[in-house]
Amino acid sequence: MNPLFQQPLKVVNAGLAGFADNLKQANGDVVALSWQPPALGDVQAGLDLAALIRHPLVEQANQIAFERYLSAQPVLIDVMSAAEAIGAMAQRKLILHSGPPIAWPDMCGPVKGAIVGAILFEGWAADHQAAERLITEGVVELEPCHHYQAVGPMAGIISPSMPLWVIENKTNGQRAFSNFNEGLGKVLRFGANNDEVLQRLQWMKQELAPALKAAVRQLGELELKPLMAQALHMGDEVHNRNAAATGLLIKRLVPALLACDLPMATLQRVVAFMTGNDHFFLNLSMAACKAMMDAAGGVPHSSMVTVMARNGVNFGIRLSGTGDRWFQAPANAVEGLFFPGYGVDDAAADLGDSAITETAGVGGFAMASSPAIVKFVGGTPADATNNSRRMQAITVGANPAFTLPALNFAPTAAGIDARKVADRQILPVINTGIAHKQAGVGQIGAGITTAPMSCFVEAIQALAQALPTGEPA
């Protein structure tokens, strides 16, 4: 030991940073490791995690789920009303919202405002007070979009008369749905429900949807993965930046619209609406990702995450191996850039179904392809690249359909593995808009957030409990 202490020493400190600080003050050479016990330090959860690591049933299930995700081929095939596309909505006064299940009294301001707006749009009530009575009396039912293979950004509202994009996975025939993007400003997805919002929704239903339905029929169908892949090479990450993807979509839709013999005034209004909204493709991106992740669902014992969604109060995830069960925790705040006049105290918690893009390996996972996004969400281009690299540590594999030029065309990390999240203490990164906590104010910024760790800890415990007894770990 004496010769050892006569040599220059470098200390590795794991745990409390205070120990490393003391050594630095004594002029010691110290490396501080940012380390925490896995699974939030919960002993039983740690044991459950250990049982799942390298478990042959879990490994095999994850490969099955991941291959199904990779082989999914989401295609735009139609435009339908929600009542046509989703059978339950033709039979009940049903409104769908973003995120995991939540009761009306517990909802955040933007979601409540959007639900009231949807009731007014449907003509079920004449004013706000009457609309709220329909909810509290149980006449109008509220359920998550994800329960009906659907997704919606921010408040995520879908009501029976609203037009939906219809996406079909050509590999298995399953469908996914999303509403139309309304643009920016005073819009339903941020809880606005005044006459301007309702009139726009009526126009979308009466003129925009029939025109786009005719255009999609003229096209026959539109494969979405190649379009998304091309957009990644043009500076999008197809969550918060969709400028290129929207341009590519318009390039396909406009010739089809011209071939439909529509009235010139209709054509002008439809094209102006699409070209005036760089986020017009977002809802298609979300529906395509939903179709890909639904393909991976329902594989017993798989620890692959198939849903991440937020309702402005709670964040919820689902695993392939635990079916329709939600694992929830309070949604994190979003750290980012605020529009002038707004700050953290004005913001709602993380909100919307758009985290389905990150679940499918794009969005925040593909930020390396979109250095311009940092001017919107904060940070630097190096941060964007580091986010994409870091996600490789928590995924089952990578998706060769989506490649990142800034990383030498490396495939995006994909297939979030709940085991790796809990074990490595690395949370999935999500870039997102920030909504004002009051209904109708709208978007007040954008930034970066993560899922709460406790969701993943609870999920792996449920997965471990479902393992057959006597199976080797």
Side-chain angles (χ1 to χ4, degrees), residues 15 37 80 82 85 95 111 191 227 272 281-282 320 333 337 370-371 385 392 437 462:
M80 295 181 179
I95 290 178
V111 174
L227 195 154
F281 184 80
L282 168 61
S320 174
L337 302 178
S370 186
T385 299
Q392 296 170 355
K437 62 187 178 184

Side-chain angles (χ1 to χ4, degrees), residues 240-257:
N240 266 293
R241 192 177 193 277
N242 287 278
T246 297
L248 293 169
L249 176 66
I250 291 170
K251 186 178 178 181
R252 299 296 300 275
L253 288 178
V254 168
L257 285 165

Side-chain angles (χ1 to χ4, degrees), residues 241 336-339 367 370-381 384 446:
R241 192 177 193 277
L337 302 178
F338 288 89
F339 299 162
M367 285 180 67
S370 186
I373 196 69
V374 300
K375 297 183 72 175
F376 187 54
V377 301
T380 67

Side-chain angles (χ1 to χ4, degrees), residues 158-171:
I158 295 174
S159 65
S161 297
M162 290 181 182
L164 301 183
W165 296 115
V166 180
I167 310 303
E168 184 174 297
N169 177 5
K170 289 297 182 178
T171 305

